[in-house]
Amino acid sequence: MLEPMTTRPRLLLVAHGTRSAAGRRVLGRVLLETRKQLGEVDCRLAWVDVQEPGPARVLADGVPTVVVPVFLARGYHVIHDVGQACDRAPGPVVQTPHLGAEPEVVRAVVQRLGEAGAAGAFGADAVVLAAAGSKDESSLTETRDLARTLTRLLGVPVTAAFASTATPTVAGAVAAARADGHNRVAVATHLLAPGFFANRIADAGGDITSEPLGAHPEIIGLLIRRYQEYASHLG
């Protein structure tokens, strides 16, 4: 049970930001679905790039806040942008872990693949897990670890690949899977919303490409869980 409304801290979701109108709509829906499930909790959305407001601006009012970095992998934005805003906030703030490879994320990736037709007798015999990419090695390691988890779950080889910065590229991983003899290669889009990277992933040549995770019920459930687990840290 959540505490009475007067003692509930605010929830601030912090995402990357995008110039894509479709991406903004999807992230807006993530906020709305989360707000619906949390009832009277004040739920806000902030951005670390491209859009305003940034997290520091929202936190400047000193309201007790649970901050959830809505990122699939740990990297510069989670560590620096979100972390610094929380450290400098004038009021009580707790920052939760990013979304990572929690069970909810794994289930959402698998279900998006299923929706795209990557399962069953005519499904994929290899999968490329396509993430945005990062200069942060720990971020890349998270994606590669998730690929190994998906290999065990799906029973087909899953290769981590990246739309920018890191290697292999998504197109390169698709080509390599075909060179290894795989006939139907699915690309699992390991992103939250449409935009530049999603478009690049969609053009990488996969036989099947899943949609971004967006407001998948598993993702919304994870955001709720993060809030409920960390709200008590604010007393």
Side-chain angles (χ1 to χ4, degrees), residues 1-90:
M1 292 288 292
L2 290 170
E3 296 175 13
M5 180 178 64
T6 54
T7 60
R8 293 180 195 173
R10 176 173 60 192
L11 170 62
L12 178 62
L13 305 177
V14 184
H16 183 276
T18 176
R19 292 182 177 86
S20 163
R24 291 194 294 271
R25 285 194 297 272
V26 166
L27 290 166
R29 189 177 162 212
V30 169
L31 174 65
L32 290 174
E33 293 298 324
T34 303
R35 185 178 283 157
K36 266 195 240 179
Q37 293 204 32
L38 283 175
E40 299 299 327
V41 172
D42 181 11
C43 298
R44 307 281 184 93
L45 182 60
W47 317 89
V48 297
D49 197 7
V50 181
Q51 295 172 251
E52 292 289 340
R57 181 174 163 190
V58 177
L59 296 173
D61 60 11
V63 172
T65 303
V66 176
V67 177
V68 181
V70 189
F71 289 82
L72 292 170
R74 183 176 182 267
Y76 179 84
H77 290 304
V78 174
I79 298 165
H80 181 268
D81 294 319
V82 182
Q84 190 173 83
C86 291
D87 290 343
R88 295 177 177 177

Side-chain angles (χ1 to χ4, degrees), residues 59-226:
L59 296 173
D61 60 11
V63 172
T65 303
V66 176
V67 177
V68 181
V70 189
F71 289 82
L72 292 170
R74 183 176 182 267
Y76 179 84
H77 290 304
V78 174
I79 298 165
H80 181 268
D81 294 319
V82 182
Q84 190 173 83
C86 291
D87 290 343
R88 295 177 177 177
V93 170
V94 61
Q95 178 182 337
T96 80
H98 61 288
L99 304 187
E102 294 286 347
E104 293 94 335
V105 173
V106 175
R107 290 193 293 266
V109 171
V110 170
Q111 288 171 27
R112 286 285 190 244
L113 276 171
E115 292 165 3
F122 300 100
D125 59 0
V127 173
V128 174
L129 178 66
S134 173
K135 293 178 182 177
D136 186 287
E137 189 58 37
S138 68
S139 174
L140 305 181
T141 297
E142 282 188 89
T143 306
R144 291 170 183 139
D145 288 345
L146 176 57
R148 283 190 281 272
T149 297
L150 290 170
T151 295
R152 293 193 296 270
L153 286 173
L154 298 173
V156 299
V158 180
T159 302
F162 307 95
S164 71
T165 309
T167 56
T169 66
V170 181
V174 170
R178 291 208 175 101
D180 286 342
H182 297 287
N183 297 314
R184 193 159 171 79
V185 181
V187 176
T189 301
H190 189 232
L191 300 172
L192 282 167
F196 175 79
F197 289 131
N199 292 340
R200 180 174 283 186
I201 288 167
D203 291 338
D207 297 297
I208 301 163
T209 303
S210 64
E211 293 294 321
L213 302 181
H216 190 287
E218 293 283 1
I219 299 299
I220 303 304
L222 176 54
L223 297 175
I224 301 301
R225 178 162 73 83
R226 287 280 193 255

